[in-house]
Amino acid sequence: MSEIKRIGLLCSGGDSPGMNCAIRSVVRSAINANLEVYGIQRGFSGLLEGNIKELDVSSVGNIIQHGGTILQTSRCPEFHEAETRKEAAHILKRKKIDALIVIGGNGSFNGAYALHTEHGIPMVGIPGTIDNDISGTDYSIGFDTAVQTAIDAVDKIRDTASSHERTFIVEVMGRKSAAIALHVGVCTGAENVVLPSENVNVEEISNDIKRGIKRGKNSSIIIVAEGEKEGLSHRIQEQLKADFELDSHVCILGHIQRGGNPSGQDRFIASGMGYLAIEELLKGNNSFVTAYRNGHVVAAPFDECLEKKSEYLPQYINLVKTLSI
Amino acid sequence: MSEIKRIGLLCSGGDSPGMNCAIRSVVRSAINANLEVYGIQRGFSGLLEGNIKELDVSSVGNIIQHGGTILQTSRCPEFHEAETRKEAAHILKRKKIDALIVIGGNGSFNGAYALHTEHGIPMVGIPGTIDNDISGTDYSIGFDTAVQTAIDAVDKIRDTASSHERTFIVEVMGRKSAAIALHVGVCTGAENVVLPSENVNVEEISNDIKRGIKRGKNSSIIIVAEGEKEGLSHRIQEQLKADFELDSHVCILGHIQRGGNPSGQDRFIASGMGYLAIEELLKGNNSFVTAYRNGHVVAAPFDECLEKKSEYLPQYINLVKTLSI
Amino acid sequence: MSEIKRIGLLCSGGDSPGMNCAIRSVVRSAINANLEVYGIQRGFSGLLEGNIKELDVSSVGNIIQHGGTILQTSRCPEFHEAETRKEAAHILKRKKIDALIVIGGNGSFNGAYALHTEHGIPMVGIPGTIDNDISGTDYSIGFDTAVQTAIDAVDKIRDTASSHERTFIVEVMGRKSAAIALHVGVCTGAENVVLPSENVNVEEISNDIKRGIKRGKNSSIIIVAEGEKEGLSHRIQEQLKADFELDSHVCILGHIQRGGNPSGQDRFIASGMGYLAIEELLKGNNSFVTAYRNGHVVAAPFDECLEKKSEYLPQYINLVKTLSI
Amino acid sequence: MSEIKRIGLLCSGGDSPGMNCAIRSVVRSAINANLEVYGIQRGFSGLLEGNIKELDVSSVGNIIQHGGTILQTSRCPEFHEAETRKEAAHILKRKKIDALIVIGGNGSFNGAYALHTEHGIPMVGIPGTIDNDISGTDYSIGFDTAVQTAIDAVDKIRDTASSHERTFIVEVMGRKSAAIALHVGVCTGAENVVLPSENVNVEEISNDIKRGIKRGKNSSIIIVAEGEKEGLSHRIQEQLKADFELDSHVCILGHIQRGGNPSGQDRFIASGMGYLAIEELLKGNNSFVTAYRNGHVVAAPFDECLEKKSEYLPQYINLVKTLSI
């Protein structure tokens, strides 16, 4: 492999808090090693439009504390086509970009890895998605902040729930991933968690609420992962009313969970991942993901990180149930 | 009027952050003046059930910072009936309670004032509702915290909105009151505010979004007051899609806005109101509301504070529009 | 007076959260009225250096939620000299700036008002200082946020104080102003407040702590305004140990209170002040402060707003003492 | 070993946010397994005073979100003596407590482990200290929250630093431990971190500040671990002024870092540790620490967790330096 001098950097897919920390870490680590970094605006779409400019040391000053991403991001379905990727490879070559770093989820990693295998471009994936559902890594940037945002919301609801004897349904993000809902359930002492994969058993929810009332609880909180079809929380609310005569209130947190200042954990891991990305590229590793495994950031083979991972469900469901008796 | 020795204290209607500060202030001010305070649990309902016990100095320690109310609250529709109020008056007499302090909204004030006029019980109203919609007072406890909670949520959405070019619909509380939506609109730089009183003009919203895109904005945020019929935000979302081909995301903040640690303003005004309640009772004023007027807590006649007030709409709508050009 | 077409805008003195909201409001209100706005970087110092450039609608996008000021600020002692102000007037004339808006405290207002009286430049003062100590206005931008930041800190200390039986001394900002310390004292249920003007009576503090212990409190919190000579909190700590055998812990919040996202109240009032600044200028008022009086933003004569105001001390000290019995 | 029926639970040493989550998890997991739990107030001191009472399911309701510990905590130097521990063993026997769970740091673990080895009492250690300095576990409850609190403070300072060109010294907790200072340094983009172990090189700090100014930074932030001798930050401030003519401002966060609502990570790990404590006790393991290793909560031998651990310093110092160029 010829020497790397100029690195391209983009975010892809849904944004997540902490992406800015990874950007800052990549840029400063690279410049510290006498590399140049070119920021590609708006993901693969921006790459195809040639929306690319150099990032200097100051360009990433004062961004570590802000949510979102200064590079913006986008979804780019046409990147699934080999023809599009060929075009992207040409653009990178023309801009003399020797290696590409992609911050995103497993969908973005698939596009990136195809670009690498088809065109030999050295490629790094940095896991960034609030869903924490990328195979091959225990963690992806943004998850901790998203969970924290939902926890803060439920804590507020607990105040009013305790004052007024109510049932609340709080819908958190997670179309296919149960990770946010499970963590929020454990961390808020929720009485129930509804996962995206399951058929909702409203009777069981109703029984849990009524058992809680009997043992003297004055409120119940049910965490619902949004799932793939909008409106799940409202459907549960209606059924609780129609079939079990239980009133409830719905909160839909939605994209609030994508924003906010990144948490310490997201900043720390993102900083470590950006640093490792440059360190490994300089060692000659030309295809890897900066995965988080067993408490450490390590370079993992790309092909281990291309799937959606299934969650460790049973033990956490059990934990939620045991701790909310 | 015979001398007051024992005061009853209750919260009524929806809870609001800062009620605990008012409770603490009433209890400590009263004890400092050698009065006894009896806390009535769960509002007028609890009064009718005799759910009453003495509050000492320590009972209100370490509560100033917590949302909700240690006395809990409830709605009590049967208090609209004279017969029920007669029963309440008997219970107060039996418990030797010489005066009653009610923390709540204008509905609760109506019940309290009727109890006073019909049975001669010295009565104080302390304005407490997140809606800030009580006539005769510029402020009611909880409004600032509720607005702040919604602002914090919209700030987070701004992060992700800027990263990904999106339109967001954020539904805030306010069945009949526009106050929260207007303040949140001004304070977050929202592009639109939909008020509970109006027929929603989705075409105008669509035009504003498209104008924003044209002038280079990469996101639009629309604040919607929930109104009286659930589901308004989703109806706007559907119409934006069906008629104007605009995608949008919905967040429903719901009861999150009722909870949370009370803000400095809520703590300060609640503390001042509780203090004035005792001071005025001791001066022999036996029927008043601790109203906030022109920046000060004053004793106002009860009958000025019994209505829902209409909002100062036009100038704030204008402010939102001017500042989001 | 000839018609105003181009407005200069600067921040001066210490920065305060909410200045960005005022900047945004001035810029958008002005452009909406077909005026041009020129931002002057780094206060009067920047004016003298000609550090001036036009602000368009987008330049103030996405800043409403951020602390600090995009225009930066500075102290400029040489502006006390008439010669310097003459120079400033020349620069404004050369840049065709017809009116100047200054966001700052009473010191900055004195310089601004002198520039107006000596050179006839239409002049607006927008009160912005966390100390809330400008005469002629009930409020200055930043105060609410600064108080809130200190409250949040003391709330955290309360958690640990309750777990471990301790005395804490928390030093808040306020060299000459007691406003922050008093508000924080009321809002956190502090046991004592030490004001900048007074001789500290450590014996009284010690007595209060010991009385608290006797009545069963497991912690005491003392709020100290920093005063003009650094190190006050540590001196109190040492004296409590040496003379009264009381251990205590010190926190110095310092400049934390100047930063942070502006609170709802700061955003709302700052937005209203910026709007009124333009509205009044267009009406021909060529010398005023956007003061906050009796709950409203109004145009006040400049010469009423040039002093440091003394605080309404006795009643709030009394409130702190009564509520922490 | 005879069957375990009744468990004692206490907190010892400095309190840390998340202790309440561990308490809740122990109590609910135990009751769910038909065990009884007795809460011991105020640590080993409270044990010696017999300050013990049963905890039922409701006693730990609504505490998961609060900092501090409902059991309070204390330091108990006399527990270093065998005689004292003998007395404690008697008291436990008299109260029919079959096993003890101690939440605290390595000092508390030493006392607990001695009680186990000398008197055969089944013993569990749950790591709880904000310093994260217990050997044998990657994590101790409270560290994430403490780091987050300091990060939030520094973020606020960044706002004002950027507006006004200043140098700030922020002192964080850590008498012997560098962990908080290092994490805060990485996560806030600090320009320098001063560790408790080192001789402070103020000249190097001065050079870094001046280099930053030269490359266009308008502020510098230095994170200082408090160390064992109070006043370190002020000494650095004075030396920067005297020897290098650099003005700076000092913030001392102090015990703020011990309080606050526990973060998601602290709640999650604390919940898992409490659950494992009961699970392992029921399996017959009668001496272990619920350690966090490689991303999982596991039962670790007590004697691996009795030391203060030294930090992984060099690589994190290097990270701070590289990322703040």
Side-chain angles (χ1 to χ4, degrees):
Chain A
M1 194 183 73
S2 64
E3 208 192 341
I4 288 174
K5 287 188 188 142
R6 187 178 288 183
I7 290 170
L9 174 63
L10 63 80
C11 295
S12 172
D15 61 306
S16 71
M19 283 185 163
N20 276 331
C21 309
I23 292 169
R24 170 179 177 270
S25 181
V26 164
V27 170
R28 297 249 168 113
S29 301
I31 292 174
N32 196 49
N34 293 313
L35 304 177
E36 293 173 0
V37 185
Y38 277 68
I40 298 161
Q41 211 70 21
R42 299 191 55 250
F44 290 119
S45 308
L47 171 56
L48 295 167
E49 295 156 7
N51 198 341
I52 302 172
K53 66 172 186 215
E54 190 169 359
L55 298 171
D56 66 11
V57 165
S58 300
S59 66
V60 295
N62 224 12
I63 67 167
I64 196 172
Q65 74 272 43
H66 293 305
T69 151
I70 59 165
L71 292 179
Q72 297 191 294
T73 179
S74 72
R75 300 188 198 278
C76 182
E78 60 270 41
F79 216 76
H80 290 136
E81 292 161 40
E83 200 50 41
T84 309
R85 291 192 296 267
K86 193 171 163 188
E87 201 184 325
H90 281 305
I91 293 170
L92 289 171
K93 189 156 291 175
R94 214 167 54 228
K95 298 272 183 183
K96 297 193 165 54
I97 291 174
D98 309 312
L100 189 63
I101 299 179
V102 172
I103 310 174
N106 69 307
S108 306
F109 284 4
N110 273 286
Y113 189 54
L115 192 59
H116 166 71
T117 52
E118 292 163 4
H119 302 281
I121 297 163
M123 187 69 60
V124 186
I126 296 183
T129 159
I130 62 166
D131 284 331
N132 199 23
D133 62 352
I134 308 171
S135 64
T137 180
D138 298 343
Y139 195 76
S140 68
I141 299 165
F143 177 67
D144 187 60
T145 307
V147 167
Q148 191 62 53
T149 296
I151 289 172
D152 291 345
V154 179
D155 282 355
K156 289 182 202 292
I157 288 174
R158 224 15 124 183
D159 285 339
T160 191
S162 306
S163 300
H164 215 133
E165 301 172 6
R166 288 175 176 125
T167 297
F168 289 93
I169 300 169
V170 181
E171 186 172 304
V172 299
M173 284 202 141
R175 269 162 210 258
K176 295 179 181 172
S177 165
I180 291 179
L182 277 172
H183 267 71
V184 173
V186 171
C187 293
T188 61
E191 275 72 17
N192 272 95
V193 177
V194 175
L195 303 181
S197 51
E198 27 177 58
N199 288 319
V200 185
N201 186 339
V202 179
E203 183 165 9
E204 191 193 316
I205 294 174
S206 158
N207 288 341
D208 284 348
I209 296 170
K210 288 177 175 169
R211 191 168 39 80
I213 293 170
K214 208 173 280 172
R215 95 108 164 104
K217 287 195 184 194
N218 52 17
S219 66
S220 275
I221 290 178
I222 302 153
I223 307 296
V224 175
E226 60 183 336
E228 300 197 70
K229 204 175 141 219
E230 249 181 296
L232 177 55
S233 293
H234 283 115
R235 291 196 297 277
I236 294 173
Q237 179 188 36
E238 281 156 25
Q239 216 180 321
L240 277 174
K241 181 69 184 170
D243 297 356
F244 306 97
E245 294 186 1
L246 284 169
D247 285 314
S248 59
H249 297 274
V250 169
C251 299
I252 298 179
L253 297 183
H255 280 71
I256 298 168
Q257 297 158 89
R258 279 201 191 284
N261 294 4
S263 73
Q265 184 172 332
D266 278 322
R267 296 185 195 193
F268 197 78
I269 293 177
S271 297
M273 287 180 169
Y275 185 84
L276 186 81
I278 299 303
E279 194 175 50
E280 284 285 314
L281 273 177
L282 289 173
K283 280 185 193 163
N285 189 343
N286 73 354
S287 160
F288 63 96
V289 167
T290 58
Y292 194 74
R293 292 182 174 182
N294 298 326
H296 300 281
V297 180
V298 296
F302 232 116
D303 56 11
E304 295 178 5
C305 307
L306 299 174
E307 308 294 321
K308 279 220 180 305
K309 75 178 163 191
S310 60
E311 268 305 319
Y312 28 69
L313 306 185
Q315 76 264 40
Y316 290 124
I317 286 288
N318 190 29
L319 190 58
V320 168
K321 292 285 187 182
T322 302
L323 300 191
S324 68
I325 54 171
Chain B
M1 194 183 70
S2 64
E3 209 193 336
I4 288 174
K5 287 187 186 143
R6 187 178 287 183
I7 290 170
L9 174 63
L10 62 79
C11 296
S12 172
D15 61 307
S16 71
M19 283 185 164
N20 276 331
C21 310
I23 291 169
R24 171 178 177 271
S25 181
V26 164
V27 170
R28 297 247 168 118
S29 300
I31 292 174
N32 196 49
N34 292 311
L35 304 177
E36 293 173 0
V37 185
Y38 277 69
I40 299 161
Q41 212 69 21
R42 300 192 55 250
F44 289 119
S45 308
L47 171 55
L48 295 168
E49 295 155 7
N51 198 338
I52 301 171
K53 66 172 187 216
E54 189 169 359
L55 299 171
D56 66 11
V57 166
S58 301
S59 66
V60 295
N62 224 11
I63 67 168
I64 196 172
Q65 73 272 42
H66 294 305
T69 151
I70 58 165
L71 292 179
Q72 297 191 293
T73 179
S74 71
R75 300 187 198 279
C76 182
E78 60 271 40
F79 216 74
H80 290 136
E81 291 161 41
E83 201 51 41
T84 309
R85 293 192 295 268
K86 193 171 163 188
E87 201 185 325
H90 281 304
I91 293 169
L92 289 171
K93 188 155 293 174
R94 215 168 52 231
K95 297 273 183 183
K96 296 194 165 56
I97 291 175
D98 309 311
L100 189 63
I101 299 178
V102 172
I103 310 174
N106 69 306
S108 306
F109 285 3
N110 273 284
Y113 190 55
L115 192 59
H116 166 71
T117 51
E118 292 162 3
H119 302 280
I121 298 163
M123 187 69 59
V124 185
I126 296 183
T129 160
I130 62 166
D131 284 331
N132 199 22
D133 61 353
I134 308 171
S135 64
T137 181
D138 298 343
Y139 193 76
S140 68
I141 299 166
F143 177 67
D144 187 60
T145 307
V147 167
Q148 190 63 53
T149 296
I151 289 172
D152 291 345
V154 179
D155 283 355
K156 290 182 201 291
I157 288 174
R158 217 29 116 180
D159 285 338
T160 191
S162 306
S163 300
H164 215 132
E165 302 172 7
R166 288 173 176 127
T167 296
F168 289 93
I169 300 170
V170 182
E171 187 172 304
V172 299
M173 284 204 141
R175 268 161 211 258
K176 296 180 180 171
S177 165
I180 292 178
L182 277 172
H183 267 71
V184 173
V186 170
C187 293
T188 60
E191 275 72 17
N192 271 95
V193 177
V194 175
L195 304 181
S197 51
E198 28 177 56
N199 288 320
V200 185
N201 186 338
V202 179
E203 182 165 9
E204 192 192 315
I205 295 173
S206 158
N207 288 341
D208 285 347
I209 296 170
K210 288 176 176 169
R211 191 167 40 79
I213 293 169
K214 208 173 282 173
R215 94 110 164 103
K217 287 195 185 196
N218 54 16
S219 66
S220 275
I221 289 179
I222 302 153
I223 307 297
V224 175
E226 59 183 335
E228 299 196 71
K229 205 176 140 220
E230 249 181 296
L232 178 55
S233 293
H234 283 116
R235 290 195 297 277
I236 295 173
Q237 180 188 35
E238 280 157 25
Q239 216 180 320
L240 277 174
K241 181 69 184 170
D243 298 356
F244 307 96
E245 294 184 2
L246 285 168
D247 285 315
S248 59
H249 296 274
V250 168
C251 299
I252 298 179
L253 297 183
H255 280 70
I256 298 168
Q257 296 158 88
R258 279 202 191 282
N261 294 4
S263 73
Q265 184 172 331
D266 278 322
R267 295 185 196 194
F268 198 79
I269 293 177
S271 297
M273 286 180 170
Y275 186 84
L276 186 81
I278 299 304
E279 193 174 52
E280 284 285 314
L281 274 177
L282 289 172
K283 280 184 191 162
N285 189 344
N286 72 355
S287 160
F288 63 96
V289 167
T290 58
Y292 195 74
R293 293 182 173 181
N294 298 325
H296 300 281
V297 180
V298 297
F302 232 116
D303 56 11
E304 295 178 5
C305 306
L306 299 174
E307 308 294 321
K308 279 222 180 303
K309 74 178 165 193
S310 59
E311 268 305 320
Y312 28 70
L313 306 184
Q315 76 264 37
Y316 290 123
I317 287 287
N318 190 29
L319 191 57
V320 168
K321 291 286 187 182
T322 302
L323 299 191
S324 69
I325 53 172
Chain C
M1 193 182 72
S2 64
E3 208 192 339
I4 288 174
K5 286 187 187 145
R6 185 178 290 181
I7 290 170
L9 174 62
L10 61 82
C11 295
S12 172
D15 61 306
S16 72
M19 283 185 163
N20 276 331
C21 309
I23 292 168
R24 171 179 178 269
S25 182
V26 164
V27 169
R28 297 250 168 114
S29 300
I31 291 173
N32 196 48
N34 292 314
L35 303 177
E36 293 172 359
V37 185
Y38 277 68
I40 298 161
Q41 211 68 22
R42 300 192 54 252
F44 289 119
S45 307
L47 172 55
L48 295 168
E49 296 156 7
N51 198 338
I52 302 172
K53 67 174 186 213
E54 191 168 0
L55 298 172
D56 66 11
V57 166
S58 301
S59 66
V60 295
N62 224 12
I63 66 167
I64 196 172
Q65 73 273 42
H66 294 305
T69 153
I70 59 165
L71 292 180
Q72 297 190 294
T73 179
S74 70
R75 300 187 198 279
C76 182
E78 59 270 40
F79 216 75
H80 290 135
E81 292 162 39
E83 200 51 41
T84 310
R85 292 192 297 267
K86 194 171 163 187
E87 201 185 325
H90 281 306
I91 293 169
L92 289 171
K93 190 155 292 174
R94 213 168 55 228
K95 297 274 184 182
K96 295 194 167 54
I97 291 175
D98 308 312
L100 188 63
I101 299 179
V102 172
I103 310 174
N106 69 307
S108 306
F109 284 5
N110 273 285
Y113 189 54
L115 191 59
H116 166 69
T117 51
E118 293 163 2
H119 302 281
I121 298 162
M123 187 70 59
V124 185
I126 297 183
T129 159
I130 62 167
D131 284 331
N132 199 24
D133 61 353
I134 307 172
S135 64
T137 180
D138 298 343
Y139 193 77
S140 69
I141 299 165
F143 177 66
D144 188 58
T145 307
V147 168
Q148 192 62 53
T149 296
I151 289 171
D152 291 345
V154 178
D155 282 356
K156 289 183 202 292
I157 288 175
R158 225 14 126 186
D159 285 338
T160 190
S162 306
S163 299
H164 215 132
E165 302 172 5
R166 287 175 178 127
T167 297
F168 289 93
I169 300 169
V170 182
E171 187 172 304
V172 300
M173 283 202 142
R175 268 163 211 256
K176 294 180 180 171
S177 164
I180 292 179
L182 277 172
H183 267 71
V184 172
V186 170
C187 293
T188 60
E191 276 71 16
N192 272 94
V193 178
V194 175
L195 303 181
S197 50
E198 32 179 52
N199 288 318
V200 185
N201 185 339
V202 179
E203 182 165 9
E204 191 192 317
I205 295 174
S206 158
N207 288 341
D208 284 349
I209 295 171
K210 288 177 175 170
R211 191 169 38 81
I213 293 169
K214 208 172 281 173
R215 93 110 165 103
K217 288 195 182 194
N218 52 19
S219 66
S220 275
I221 290 179
I222 302 152
I223 307 296
V224 174
E226 58 182 337
E228 300 197 70
K229 203 175 142 220
E230 249 181 295
L232 177 56
S233 292
H234 283 115
R235 288 195 298 277
I236 295 173
Q237 181 188 34
E238 281 156 26
Q239 215 180 323
L240 277 175
K241 183 66 183 172
D243 297 355
F244 306 98
E245 294 186 1
L246 285 169
D247 284 315
S248 60
H249 296 275
V250 168
C251 299
I252 297 179
L253 297 182
H255 280 70
I256 298 168
Q257 296 159 87
R258 279 203 192 283
N261 294 5
S263 73
Q265 183 173 331
D266 278 322
R267 296 184 195 195
F268 198 78
I269 293 177
S271 297
M273 286 180 171
Y275 186 83
L276 185 82
I278 299 303
E279 194 174 50
E280 284 285 314
L281 274 177
L282 289 171
K283 279 184 192 163
N285 189 343
N286 73 355
S287 159
F288 63 97
V289 166
T290 59
Y292 194 74
R293 293 181 173 183
N294 299 325
H296 300 280
V297 181
V298 297
F302 233 116
D303 55 10
E304 295 177 5
C305 306
L306 300 174
E307 308 294 322
K308 279 222 181 303
K309 75 178 164 192
S310 59
E311 268 305 318
Y312 28 70
L313 306 185
Q315 76 264 38
Y316 289 124
I317 286 287
N318 190 28
L319 191 57
V320 168
K321 291 285 186 181
T322 302
L323 300 190
S324 68
I325 55 171
Chain D
M1 194 183 70
S2 64
E3 208 192 339
I4 288 174
K5 286 186 186 145
R6 186 178 288 182
I7 290 171
L9 174 63
L10 62 81
C11 295
S12 172
D15 60 306
S16 71
M19 283 186 163
N20 276 331
C21 309
I23 292 168
R24 172 179 177 269
S25 182
V26 165
V27 169
R28 298 250 168 112
S29 300
I31 291 174
N32 196 49
N34 292 314
L35 304 178
E36 294 172 0
V37 185
Y38 277 68
I40 299 161
Q41 212 67 23
R42 302 192 54 252
F44 289 119
S45 307
L47 172 54
L48 294 168
E49 297 156 6
N51 198 339
I52 301 172
K53 65 172 188 215
E54 190 169 358
L55 299 171
D56 66 11
V57 166
S58 301
S59 66
V60 295
N62 224 12
I63 66 167
I64 196 172
Q65 74 273 43
H66 294 306
T69 153
I70 59 164
L71 292 179
Q72 297 190 293
T73 179
S74 71
R75 300 187 197 280
C76 182
E78 60 270 40
F79 216 74
H80 290 136
E81 292 162 39
E83 199 51 40
T84 310
R85 293 192 295 268
K86 193 170 163 190
E87 201 185 327
H90 280 305
I91 292 170
L92 289 170
K93 190 156 292 176
R94 213 168 54 229
K95 297 274 183 184
K96 295 194 167 52
I97 291 175
D98 308 311
L100 188 63
I101 299 179
V102 172
I103 310 174
N106 70 307
S108 306
F109 283 5
N110 273 286
Y113 189 54
L115 192 59
H116 166 70
T117 52
E118 293 163 3
H119 301 281
I121 297 162
M123 186 70 59
V124 185
I126 297 184
T129 159
I130 62 167
D131 284 331
N132 199 23
D133 60 353
I134 308 171
S135 64
T137 180
D138 298 343
Y139 193 76
S140 68
I141 299 165
F143 177 66
D144 188 58
T145 306
V147 168
Q148 191 61 53
T149 296
I151 289 171
D152 291 345
V154 179
D155 283 355
K156 288 183 202 292
I157 288 175
R158 223 18 123 184
D159 285 338
T160 190
S162 307
S163 299
H164 215 133
E165 301 172 6
R166 287 173 178 129
T167 297
F168 288 93
I169 300 169
V170 182
E171 187 172 304
V172 300
M173 283 202 143
R175 268 162 211 257
K176 294 180 180 172
S177 164
I180 292 179
L182 277 172
H183 267 71
V184 172
V186 171
C187 293
T188 60
E191 276 71 16
N192 272 94
V193 177
V194 175
L195 303 182
S197 50
E198 30 178 53
N199 288 319
V200 185
N201 186 338
V202 179
E203 182 165 8
E204 191 192 317
I205 295 174
S206 158
N207 289 340
D208 284 349
I209 295 170
K210 288 177 176 169
R211 190 168 39 80
I213 293 170
K214 208 173 280 173
R215 93 109 165 103
K217 287 195 183 195
N218 53 17
S219 66
S220 275
I221 290 178
I222 302 152
I223 307 297
V224 175
E226 58 182 338
E228 299 197 72
K229 204 175 141 220
E230 248 181 296
L232 178 56
S233 293
H234 283 115
R235 289 195 298 277
I236 295 173
Q237 180 188 34
E238 281 156 27
Q239 215 180 323
L240 278 174
K241 182 67 183 172
D243 297 355
F244 306 97
E245 293 185 2
L246 285 169
D247 284 315
S248 60
H249 296 275
V250 168
C251 298
I252 298 179
L253 297 182
H255 281 70
I256 299 168
Q257 296 159 86
R258 279 203 191 283
N261 294 5
S263 73
Q265 183 173 333
D266 278 321
R267 296 184 196 195
F268 198 77
I269 293 177
S271 298
M273 287 180 171
Y275 186 84
L276 186 81
I278 299 303
E279 195 175 49
E280 283 285 315
L281 274 176
L282 289 171
K283 279 185 193 164
N285 188 344
N286 73 354
S287 160
F288 63 96
V289 166
T290 59
Y292 194 74
R293 294 182 173 182
N294 298 326
H296 300 281
V297 180
V298 297
F302 232 116
D303 55 11
E304 295 178 5
C305 306
L306 299 174
E307 308 294 322
K308 280 223 179 303
K309 75 178 163 191
S310 59
E311 267 306 319
Y312 28 70
L313 306 184
Q315 77 264 40
Y316 289 124
I317 286 287
N318 190 28
L319 191 57
V320 168
K321 292 285 186 182
T322 303
L323 299 190
S324 68
I325 54 170

